[in-house]
Amino acid sequence: MLTIPEADLRYPIGHAEVPQEPLTDGRRIALLAQLAVLPDQVRVAVAGLHPEQLDTPYRPGGWSVRQVLHHLPDSHMNAYVRMRLALTEELPTIKPYEEAAWAELPDVAATPVAVSLALLEALHIRWVTLMRQLTEEQWGRRFYHPGSQKEFSLDQALALYAWHGRHHLAHITSLRQRENW
């Protein structure tokens, strides 16, 4: 079995880099493509895993693969709603949520992962379709996150959630490689 430092297990692709300047069209297109393919990549990453493997944490003290699979649509659904609020309201204050507590709710253990994979796929179709229609002005719209006490533009949210998807995908794929599943 391959040994990897725990810091790398927690952030296998490194920390998120939130851009301070507006994204170029080319960068947006690349990030949107990452979000568009994420559901298929996740589906491939978990193909053939049995329940014991789904309940294996990706690192000591970390979430199980099952929790990660249910977390992705939870998180990205919140991001989708935050973006829609920013597009329809002037600097809305979004509602943070306790993602660790959500990962412990009883539906996480009781719901087949196929349900969350289908939800992620449908959500990403809607979300990417929305973002591909945005104007340059709309990409600059912002929301306020009271937890971090920061404003985020939609460009910044796009970069953050494209990273977020790759981050959790790497949790699954790196675990599969380490465990040789």
Side-chain angles (χ1 to χ4, degrees), residues 139-153:
W139 279 110
R141 299 218 24 122
R142 306 176 84 72
F143 59 81
Y144 176 74
H145 192 300
S148 60
Q149 298 183 346
K150 293 181 185 175
E151 292 181 17
F152 290 89
S153 70

Side-chain angles (χ1 to χ4, degrees), residues 120-132:
L120 186 68
E121 181 178 7
L123 172 63
H124 275 234
I125 291 168
R126 279 288 302 274
W127 193 20
V128 171
T129 298
L130 170 67
M131 289 187 287
R132 285 185 172 150

